[in-house]
Amino acid sequence: MLNRYPLHLAVGIVKTFLFILLLIGAVMLYTGEWMLTAHDDRADLIQNFNREETIYRVNTADCGVSVATAGEFGVDKDTFDSVFTCFAGSDSQLKHTTWWDHNWLAEKSDMFQSAYIRASYNIAALNYTISSVRAGREISSFRYAGINWSNYVKIPNAPVVNIAFLRRTDRSLIVPAGSLYNWFTGMCLASANCTDKDYLPRNDSIYADAIDHQVTPNQAAALKALYATGTPEFWIATAHANGIYGKDDLIASYAEKNKAELANDILRHLPTPEEDFIHEAEIAIGCCLLFLGVIGAWIARRTWK
């Protein structure tokens, strides 16, 4: 009787590779469509942002927020109170896009909003630290630092930042059932030479954004200033401005303690773009190894039979 095993084995291998080719083709088709349309889609989405959004001037030294430029899409009091909540915000206010489904606008918004939330907590914790050190009190937690705000603490280097906020987008008018609101669309230091581009999500390269969030130079400077409010250097400089010397190590330890509490309690669910990329690479490598394992097991099983 004719041995048909080699023929069946060859047919099985061909079928397997055909399925692989179809999968690769689908991925390439999706990727190609994204490469051809993503930049234009983003440009179309943000084309009216400058006239629709409201720009707020935020003084982190005292949590003061005032309107610098009013936009066409007004922001009601309830929305304002829920978004610009000094030392009361948390990661629950962020969009939290999943790492396998990047939402470009939501990721940009999270980046700006988390920087604002972080700075407001840093300043409140710093204020609490200066007041406590003056009184000789030991600090066990910064969780309620905002409640103990003191107007007698000087924070001379606290950044003043213009933050662009949009309550909705044109897309929400087209598809209201799937609309998402409350976008942080850009920022710029109030002392800088700000331009309209600084109040828009940067859209120069969709490829660079796939790995890290692109920002304008003024946006980068504002983000750096907001993040700097949590550094030991900033806290020590503030302590010196308030006449506290000889306790730099103590102040620096409190700065690190505040940083740890923010990471573990307030903004614990916000991965960095680099972490997202690493997760995706791990999944891709895992899928490749799994596929090779399945093919190897299938060939071994057919050979054994």
Side-chain angles (χ1 to χ4, degrees):
M1 185 175 180
L2 182 63
N3 184 3
R4 295 183 178 179
Y5 171 72
L7 179 61
H8 287 300
L9 180 61
V11 170
I13 293 175
V14 170
K15 287 168 62 177
T16 301
F17 278 98
L18 283 176
F19 284 126
I20 295 172
L21 288 175
L22 286 174
L23 177 61
I24 293 174
V27 172
M28 291 179 64
L29 183 64
Y30 171 80
T31 303
E33 189 271 341
W34 174 79
M35 292 171 64
L36 292 173
T37 61
H39 185 273
D40 290 341
D41 287 345
R42 296 175 182 184
D44 179 59
L45 176 66
I46 66 176
Q47 63 178 335
N48 297 322
F49 276 18
N50 278 131
R51 64 180 176 81
E52 294 168 349
E53 63 196 7
T54 298
I55 298 174
Y56 289 97
R57 181 158 297 182
V58 178
N59 186 350
T60 58
D62 59 6
C63 282
V65 182
S66 59
V67 174
T69 305
E72 290 185 5
F73 284 177
V75 180
D76 57 83
K77 186 179 185 302
D78 290 340
T79 299
F80 174 85
D81 291 341
S82 66
V83 172
F84 290 94
T85 51
C86 187
F87 37 77
S90 70
D91 60 346
S92 63
Q93 296 177 333
L94 306 178
K95 306 300 181 185
H96 285 317
T97 53
T98 55
W99 53 264
W100 64 83
D101 182 23
H102 292 288
N103 183 316
W104 173 73
L105 181 57
E107 289 181 343
K108 297 276 190 178
S109 179
D110 280 356
M111 174 181 60
F112 295 128
Q113 187 172 10
S114 64
Y116 162 70
I117 293 173
R118 184 182 299 275
S120 68
Y121 273 97
N122 288 339
I123 295 297
L126 175 55
N127 187 296
Y128 182 50
T129 295
I130 300 300
S131 300
S132 298
V133 170
R134 279 175 174 170
R137 296 191 305 266
E138 184 177 347
I139 299 174
S140 59
S141 174
F142 292 103
R143 185 177 296 273
Y144 303 107
I147 300 175
N148 298 278
W149 186 268
S150 170
N151 292 324
Y152 298 102
V153 175
K154 297 181 294 182
I155 309 180
N157 296 324
V160 179
V161 182
N162 292 336
I163 299 178
F165 175 76
L166 185 64
R167 187 172 68 87
R168 61 181 181 179
T169 70
D170 288 340
R171 297 292 175 87
S172 65
L173 301 179
I174 299 172
V175 189
S179 62
L180 291 173
Y181 297 88
N182 301 345
W183 307 98
F184 281 68
T185 58
M187 59 174 51
C188 177
L189 288 172
S191 58
N193 184 20
C194 304
T195 67
D196 286 346
K197 288 185 177 180
D198 298 321
Y199 301 123
L200 296 177
R202 186 174 174 183
N203 185 34
D204 291 348
S205 171
I206 59 175
Y207 312 110
D209 261 334
I211 300 175
D212 198 0
H213 302 316
Q214 278 199 310
V215 292
T216 67
N218 279 337
Q219 288 173 351
L223 289 168
K224 182 179 179 180
L226 291 175
Y227 274 87
T229 58
T231 61
E233 294 80 10
F234 187 92
W235 284 42
I236 291 171
T238 301
H240 292 174
N242 285 271
I244 299 175
Y245 295 93
K247 297 186 177 181
D248 290 3
D249 290 343
L250 177 64
I251 299 295
S253 69
Y254 284 145
E256 294 297 334
K257 183 180 182 65
N258 170 66
K259 180 180 178 181
E261 286 193 10
L262 276 174
N264 295 326
D265 298 328
I266 308 301
L267 294 170
R268 60 187 179 277
H269 295 311
L270 188 66
T272 65
E274 291 78 11
E275 289 172 337
D276 281 342
F277 183 76
I278 290 172
H279 288 319
E280 290 162 355
E282 289 173 345
I283 292 295
I285 293 172
C287 288
C288 289
L289 293 176
L290 179 62
F291 170 74
L292 292 175
V294 170
I295 293 298
W298 177 79
I299 293 176
R301 180 174 178 273
R302 294 299 295 264
T303 302
W304 180 78
K305 283 187 174 181

